[in-house]
Amino acid sequence: MPQASPRGTYLQVSEALRQKIETGEIPEALPSQTALMRAYDVSRSTIERALAALKAEGLIESVQGAGWFVAGTGDRRPLVERVTDLLRGEGVNVGDRFPTERELCERFGASRTAVRSAIAQMEGQGLIGKGAGRGREVLTLPAGRETQTA
């Protein structure tokens, strides 16, 4: 972001995000705060102020543990529920490799902290556990999953 502007940097960031939302470049979930910090080369406090400004306008809304969304869009369930849905997917079996933290961050647009919390909850429920090496694997499938016939 250019620093010589008379407008506050956070206002420049919020304007850039507003334009991306209005053009559909950001249709639903906003990138994580860390990704926004990198994209605009600004501090976390600048990103937080930009997001607060957009929230005050009613353009975006936050969902604890899920991130920021364009108002009226997106899956508002807690991240752990959305990640658990991966185990309900077709072709997922006990013993399969579970996605890495990085893969989950990218897939859900969530922070590493939020992903780690979801993983810890899933490990506590006995759904996933340590696999070969540093990875994780599926230990059991969640209740409510349709049984697959061979």
Side-chain angles (χ1 to χ4, degrees), residues 67-150:
W68 289 89
F69 294 87
V70 175
T73 66
D75 187 346
R76 302 298 191 271
R77 294 176 300 143
L79 182 61
V80 66
E81 288 181 25
R82 294 185 292 141
V83 175
T84 300
D85 279 351
L86 294 177
L87 302 182
R88 291 185 177 97
E90 194 138 332
V92 177
N93 297 300
V94 171
D96 285 354
R97 175 190 160 279
F98 190 73
T100 65
E101 288 178 4
R102 177 182 219 155
E103 291 168 339
L104 294 171
C105 288
E106 291 172 6
R107 180 173 187 156
F108 293 101
S111 70
R112 190 165 291 251
T113 302
V115 166
R116 285 180 177 163
S117 174
I119 288 172
Q121 291 176 58
M122 293 175 73
E123 286 176 337
Q125 295 169 12
L127 297 173
I128 60 174
K130 299 291 183 195
R134 293 174 40 116
R136 291 181 177 85
E137 67 179 38
V138 177
L139 298 179
T140 188
L141 300 174
R145 174 173 165 182
E146 297 294 321
T147 54
Q148 296 182 13
T149 55

Side-chain angles (χ1 to χ4, degrees), residues 1-13 37 39-43 46:
M1 291 263 85
Q3 299 298 320
S5 171
R7 294 186 78 198
T9 305
Y10 82 95
L11 291 172
Q12 294 175 27
V13 173
M37 288 167 50
Y40 294 102
D41 193 26
V42 296
S43 69
T46 299

Side-chain angles (χ1 to χ4, degrees), residues 24-58:
E25 192 175 333
I26 299 177
E28 195 172 294
L30 276 70
S32 69
Q33 287 188 16
T34 302
L36 292 171
M37 288 167 50
R38 285 189 197 117
Y40 294 102
D41 193 26
V42 296
S43 69
R44 182 172 301 278
S45 63
T46 299
I47 295 299
E48 288 172 347
R49 288 183 72 188
L51 295 173
L54 294 173
K55 182 178 181 179
E57 294 174 24

